[in-house]
Amino acid sequence: MRKKALITGFTGQVGSQMADFLLSNSDLDLICLMRWQESMDNVYHLSERINKKEGIEIFYGDLNDYSSLQKLFESKKPDFIFHLAAQSFPKTSFDIPLETLQTNIIGTANILENIKILKQKENYNPVVHICSSSEVYGRAKTGTKLNEETQFHAASPYSLSKIGTDYLGQFYGEAYGIRTFVTRMGTHSGPRRSDVFFESTVAKQIALIEARLQDPVIKVGNLESTRTFQDARDAVRAYYLLALECEKGKIPNGECFNIAGEEAFKLPQIIDILLSYSTMGGGDCNMRR
């Protein structure tokens, strides 16, 4: 019997890329969790396979609906869980802090509680990837070289929610013997990236300016931060490789991993790079905060 992988956050940038990767690079059957009202734009290309249930099926549920998750785990018992769903917009988290905390912390606890109960009742023992974020380091001092032991310091309700998510992954792994591992990925971008994020909104504005649908002014926010950037397709490959190592018992339960490049960019550099690909040229655009 083929093993099964559950993907939460299936319709998002990373979840959809994870589905594409697993369908092309593994023998896993996919169970994809989504809420009934979510847009299918990122996964429309998989519609035929979904309708025919060719290695992929949809399960309708919600992280905040414990009973739907209970039904999911009791009926499907996936061998791998890639928990990628979250309220993932740091800026938005200031407007909806309670929803952010509820979805990211309690939603993750709902998943882990269901696994814990089935493990105790039926010795259910899946590999569980808990997706945290480099945002847990938030207000780390400038020039600090981050590692897995760097102290957490929340800079937004989102980063606070990811600190809770991170600790849940560690705790359930250590306390209940669940085969969890936690990833703290840096900024990861690429196809299907929502335009609410910095590099994608700048790219969108440049495209609108080129099409003469926007005045030649790029509107930006705070440009003081420095980030590493990864391709989302590399991110999902890293998650899969770690899951395989966890399955082999080569990763201690609850182990955490920073995933990021060595090269860091200040945000104005990202704007310059994007403008270098533009037909307008950097000299034809202004920035406005």
Side-chain angles (χ1 to χ4, degrees), residues 24-224:
S24 298
N25 297 279
S26 80
D27 294 323
L28 297 170
D29 285 330
L30 306 188
I31 304 158
C32 301
L33 179 67
M34 63 176 287
R35 294 170 294 178
W36 68 269
Q37 75 273 35
E38 287 183 26
S39 168
M40 296 287 286
D41 289 353
N42 287 339
V43 294
Y44 184 78
H45 62 289
L46 297 174
S47 296
E48 186 172 352
R49 292 194 66 165
I50 292 170
N51 290 335
K52 294 180 178 179
K53 293 189 176 181
E54 293 180 345
I56 179 170
E57 64 175 298
I58 300 294
F59 191 99
Y60 291 104
D62 193 306
L63 294 180
N64 291 316
D65 179 11
Y66 185 89
S67 63
S68 69
L69 296 179
Q70 185 178 35
K71 181 179 178 182
L72 166 62
F73 282 102
E74 288 182 349
S75 64
K76 301 298 183 181
K77 294 187 178 63
D79 303 282
F80 294 88
I81 293 130
F82 295 97
H83 177 35
L84 307 175
Q87 193 302 93
S88 59
F89 306 154
K91 183 178 179 182
T92 300
S93 73
F94 287 97
D95 299 321
I96 52 169
L98 298 184
E99 181 179 336
T100 300
L101 296 172
Q102 174 73 32
T103 299
N104 296 359
I105 297 178
I106 302 303
T108 300
N110 285 339
I111 286 176
L112 290 167
E113 270 295 298
N114 270 288
I115 294 169
K116 181 195 80 174
I117 291 169
L118 281 176
K119 180 177 174 62
Q120 293 171 343
K121 287 171 55 178
E122 303 178 20
N123 200 31
Y124 175 53
N125 193 27
V127 170
V128 187
H129 168 216
I130 300 297
C131 189
S132 181
S133 168
S134 62
E135 288 285 329
V136 297
Y137 302 117
R139 297 185 180 276
K141 292 181 180 179
T142 302
T144 300
K145 190 174 179 63
L146 302 177
N147 60 45
E148 287 79 359
E149 305 304 318
T150 301
Q151 183 176 353
F152 292 165
H153 193 159
S156 67
Y158 170 74
S159 61
L160 181 61
S161 75
K162 282 300 184 179
I163 289 172
T165 299
D166 199 297
Y167 279 137
L168 282 168
Q170 295 180 60
F171 172 75
Y172 275 81
E174 295 171 355
Y176 302 113
I178 298 173
R179 294 188 292 175
T180 62
F181 67 93
V182 179
T183 59
R184 301 167 186 158
M185 173 68 71
T187 300
H188 43 300
S189 191
R192 308 171 196 164
R193 177 76 153 165
S194 169
D195 64 4
V196 301
F197 294 100
F198 175 78
E199 73 287 352
S200 49
T201 194
V202 170
K204 179 180 179 179
Q205 289 185 69
I206 293 171
L208 290 171
I209 292 168
E210 289 178 343
R212 302 187 184 282
L213 296 174
Q214 176 175 317
D215 291 336
V217 175
I218 301 173
K219 298 177 183 179
V220 297
N222 182 3
L223 297 175
E224 299 301 316

